[in-house]
Amino acid sequence: MPDDQPRHPDHVPLAGVIGMPIAHSRSPRLHGHWLRRYGIAGHYIPMPVMPEHLAEVLRALPRLGFVGVNVTIPHKEAVLALADTVTDRAALIGAANTLIFRPDGKIHADNTDGYGFVANLRQNAPDWWPKAGPAALIGAGGAARAVVASLLDSGVGELRITNRTRIRSEQIKSEFGARLVVYDWAQAGNMLEGAATVVNATSLGMDGKQPLRLPLDALSPDALVTDLVYAPLVTPFLRDAQARGCRIVDGLGMLLHQAAPGFECWFGRRPEVDDDLRRAVLE
Ligand code: ATR
């Protein structure tokens, strides 16, 4: 079938997630819930893909009736080079999590992680105001880069960043600019002084991993504290922040919100992120 052939009117849209490993991805449950809830004829499928097969798989999927896919580890960076168009935010972050296969065969890459991060805070802490004071970010991996892009976009005046491997935070500063201030990992507690928004974007605190250990003496009870880790929902870091009187927002909402733009593009309906969805994903 030529790539520019229009889709058949009876076409049942297929979408999914590609990664390796993929068995534990919550995305099929999430999109499956929305498909059932809105009575949409479509399917969302987890697909294990080896890095050496990525290019071939991306060429084949549109021909099999796929309208797009989510992308997870280890392909989030590699897909940028294989896409025909890349949004500015995906290019800036250096990774994509959402691909749209256009009817003309072109692949469009976007990154909705930063959108999901901010949408989660807006939904669960509606009075959160990014300009209230400096933001403090722990971590400098792929997820942290999406948080940096979205916080700067939201108007944060100063964004402090620390990471075990300091050079990764230096690299982010060199790419994202003057509003970033790098703190040494050994002095991470200092960056909480006066911070209005505090984010853990490391994998510390995840089930089976060490907790994030940070002296919280400088943390103001007025700060909003959030964690990208969502298993467990309340990480030791969030629990400690809550004990100091801070408002906390868990990371599950980011996962749910980052999925919404892709679902809308593929299946034609903007889905809702609510408690029913949370329950379905946690089951
Ligand atoms: P993701 O795409 O989820 O952000 P990643 O790019 O591998 O994944 O980033 C993981 C983050 O968790 C990094 O900030 C990493 O710190 P390093 O850059 O120093 O590796 C952080 N991290 C993971 N394990 C850690 C540990 N034991 N102590 C401190 N930081 C850790």
Side-chain angles (χ1 to χ4, degrees):
M1 183 171 90
D3 282 335
D4 59 356
Q5 183 152 320
R7 288 183 181 123
H8 190 275
D10 292 340
H11 170 72
V12 173
L14 303 177
V17 54
I18 57 173
M20 184 65 81
I22 203 65
H24 297 294
S25 169
R26 309 224 180 183
S27 295
R29 209 178 289 177
L30 204 170
H31 287 273
H33 173 86
W34 280 333
L35 287 169
R36 278 192 302 281
R37 174 169 175 176
Y38 301 121
I40 294 172
H43 301 283
Y44 186 99
I45 300 153
M47 291 171 285
V49 176
M50 305 283 278
E52 59 269 36
H53 297 146
L54 180 64
E56 191 186 335
V57 165
L58 287 184
R59 273 193 303 275
L61 285 175
R63 295 170 192 177
L64 292 166
F66 279 79
V67 290
V69 285
N70 286 125
V71 182
T72 188
I73 292 166
H75 306 310
K76 289 175 99 165
E77 291 83 18
V79 290
L80 288 186
L82 298 167
D84 298 289
T85 55
V86 175
T87 58
D88 288 348
R89 59 186 179 178
L92 192 65
I93 293 164
N97 69 339
T98 305
L99 300 182
I100 294 152
F101 303 148
R102 305 255 191 242
D104 66 1
K106 298 253 189 298
I107 299 177
H108 179 69
D110 194 6
N111 191 315
T112 63
D113 284 335
Y115 160 78
F117 172 76
V118 168
N120 182 32
L121 295 190
R122 295 213 186 283
Q123 183 176 43
N124 293 298
D127 57 346
W128 173 64
W129 191 45
K131 298 177 186 171
L137 173 64
I138 303 126
R145 293 175 70 91
V147 170
V148 168
S150 64
L151 281 175
L152 292 178
D153 225 28
S154 309
V156 162
E158 179 183 327
L159 177 44
R160 303 167 179 173
I161 181 166
T162 191
N163 194 52
R164 175 181 62 177
T165 312
R166 186 180 165 111
I167 194 159
R168 292 183 94 185
S169 9
E170 302 279 6
Q171 179 65 31
I172 290 183
K173 178 176 168 57
S174 75
E175 288 175 48
F176 287 85
R179 279 186 279 165
L180 274 104
V181 182
V182 174
Y183 280 68
D184 201 74
W185 185 245
Q187 265 104 49
N190 294 347
M191 76 171 181
L192 302 180
E193 180 84 49
T197 311
V198 179
V199 186
N200 174 38
T202 71
S203 48
L204 293 171
M206 201 179 272
D207 283 333
K209 286 215 164 203
Q210 305 261 316
L212 168 63
R213 288 202 186 85
L214 202 62
L216 299 185
D217 313 272
L219 179 64
S220 157
D222 296 331
L224 174 85
V225 181
T226 185
D227 203 319
L228 269 47
V229 171
Y230 57 81
L233 277 179
V234 179
T235 60
F237 176 60
L238 287 182
R239 192 193 55 220
D240 293 348
Q242 192 170 39
R244 291 186 64 82
C246 295
R247 283 171 305 159
I248 61 165
V249 175
D250 69 58
L252 183 62
M254 177 175 169
L255 173 78
L256 308 182
H257 281 284
Q258 62 77 32
F263 186 92
E264 183 178 14
C265 279
W266 304 324
F267 300 117
R269 167 150 192 171
R270 184 74 178 187
E272 279 152 86
V273 173
D274 57 14
D275 285 341
D276 272 357
L277 179 69
R278 272 178 80 89
R279 272 192 295 274
V281 170
L282 288 172
E283 259 168 21

